[in-house]
Amino acid sequence: MTKRVLVAMDSYRLAECAVPVSCYICGVDNNYNTELCRHCAAPLALSHQARTQGLRPQMVAVLGTAAAGKTVYLGMLLDMLTRQNGRVQVLARGAFSITLQQRTMMALSNCRFPEKTPNEPDRWNWVHCQAKINSKKNPMELIMPDMAGEAILEEIDHPNAYPAIHSFLEKCSAVILLADTDRIERGGAEQNYFLMKLITYLSEQDNRKVRGKSTRPVAIVYSKADRCEPCFDDPELYAREKTPNLWQQVQQRFTNYGFFASGVAGSVGFRDAPGEGPTAVPLRIEPRGIVEPFEWLVRKI
């Protein structure tokens, strides 16, 4: 005698796949089984995870020029916070969220910096994590992508050139803005102009304003500050003296802002590679000022 069993109908399973999934970044509908959004190329795993959780993730942007140190900073930050049991702790959501941390730490352990982030959005690393802060009762869900510097600049000069960046910056709750201290010390004006463009773009895009100023928290982080020790002593004074235009723009356009200094490589050398010219090599890893900007930012959200 055969016992009664319940067998799901295949047509019912197919009906579930027919329901579209909205991209969490740009909001465009996609097929259920699609891996990346057909419009902005953000991973749809973000949408699936957000739908299964009661708390909607906040977005935090890490911006800067090409080679400003975004990948190294973000990778080192995640590695420190996943191990740290102090004031802030991070728990990765989804295996894809660990890729950036893994690639960064593997590269640094082999005495080299990670490869430059490609311009194609479908090759960017996205991080979805849960952040626990001692002073807050409930943990926070955060999304932080590692976007290419050239793509960010292209989007600022030509809005909607990169739908992922445009939608993300429009919705993001807070911004970490990296300024390359090494290039500032060498006297180049590129960092100053780029950061002024970004500050203008972010303030005009934000609708949450009080007395004409954006309330979105912005942390200006001078990366590679290990090559300029006075920057660690007083980052705001350094901003006032070395990047006065940027300092003035931030004062006039934002209400919540902070200046910080950070460094990952305690010492850097150079080697000549055939056909590539001088290549920077991290001689030792000595992270300083990595967690402080992030901790300040999430307390402001």
Side-chain angles (χ1 to χ4, degrees), residues 50-261:
R51 192 172 59 173
T52 57
Q53 295 163 359
L55 192 63
R56 291 182 66 81
Q58 304 271 358
M59 301 184 194
V60 176
V62 180
L63 306 175
T65 57
K70 298 183 296 299
T71 303
V72 174
Y73 175 82
L74 197 50
M76 179 59 74
L77 174 70
L78 295 169
D79 190 66
M80 293 177 71
L81 294 182
T82 50
R83 290 185 285 109
Q84 186 173 338
N85 291 316
R87 301 185 302 267
V88 185
Q89 190 170 14
V90 159
L91 181 66
R93 297 283 197 189
F96 68 91
S97 298
I98 304 175
T99 304
L100 174 63
Q101 171 186 349
Q102 179 189 10
R103 288 182 178 173
T104 302
M105 301 315 296
M106 290 295 289
L108 292 176
S109 65
N110 290 321
C111 292
R112 60 182 177 81
F113 289 108
E115 297 290 332
K116 175 178 165 294
T117 304
N119 289 345
E120 295 79 13
D122 58 339
R123 297 173 62 191
W124 295 346
N125 288 311
W126 291 73
V127 176
H128 180 197
C129 61
Q130 182 188 69
K132 295 180 180 178
I133 306 171
N134 285 350
S135 60
K136 290 194 175 186
K137 182 180 178 181
N138 297 320
M140 303 174 65
E141 297 288 331
L142 300 175
I143 293 176
M144 299 184 289
D146 178 29
M147 302 182 288
E150 288 96 343
I152 297 170
L153 182 59
E154 182 69 14
E155 170 58 31
I156 293 170
D157 287 337
H158 307 286
N160 286 309
Y162 283 83
I165 299 177
H166 188 85
S167 300
F168 190 85
L169 295 185
E170 196 174 45
K171 297 177 180 177
C172 74
S173 305
V175 178
I176 295 177
L177 199 54
L178 293 187
D180 190 333
T181 309
D182 186 39
R183 277 185 271 183
I184 293 172
E185 285 296 306
R186 281 187 275 151
E190 174 206 3
Q191 292 294 298
N192 207 14
Y193 290 125
F194 174 80
L195 295 172
M196 287 170 59
K197 280 185 177 180
L198 259 178
I199 289 294
T200 305
Y201 181 90
L202 291 171
S203 66
E204 291 178 351
Q205 200 182 38
D206 189 13
N207 295 322
R208 298 160 292 182
K209 293 185 177 180
V210 176
R211 298 178 181 174
K213 293 185 178 182
S214 170
T215 57
R216 180 156 50 185
V218 176
I220 296 93
V221 181
Y222 288 94
S223 60
K224 308 176 189 176
D226 47 279
R227 304 176 202 180
C228 178
E229 195 62 28
C231 187
F232 277 110
D233 299 334
D234 192 339
E236 184 162 355
L237 177 62
Y238 183 85
R240 200 180 308 162
E241 293 179 347
K242 297 288 185 175
T243 55
N245 295 339
L246 169 65
W247 182 78
Q248 190 73 14
Q249 291 275 331
V250 172
Q251 300 270 329
Q252 293 176 350
R253 294 180 180 273
F254 289 89
T255 57
N256 292 320
Y257 58 86
F259 292 91
F260 302 88

Side-chain angles (χ1 to χ4, degrees), residues 76 80 83 232 262-266 284-290:
M76 179 59 74
M80 293 177 71
R83 290 185 285 109
F232 277 110
S262 74
V264 172
R284 69 170 187 273
I285 305 305
E286 188 178 309
R288 296 171 63 188
I290 302 295

Side-chain angles (χ1 to χ4, degrees), residues 19-67:
V19 177
V21 176
S22 296
C23 174
Y24 192 76
I25 305 301
C26 69
V28 170
D29 287 343
N30 293 267
N31 292 333
Y32 186 84
N33 291 328
T34 306
E35 182 181 357
L36 301 176
C37 174
R38 60 186 173 87
H39 182 59
C40 71
L44 289 182
L46 299 172
S47 303
H48 292 299
Q49 289 173 350
R51 192 172 59 173
T52 57
Q53 295 163 359
L55 192 63
R56 291 182 66 81
Q58 304 271 358
M59 301 184 194
V60 176
V62 180
L63 306 175
T65 57

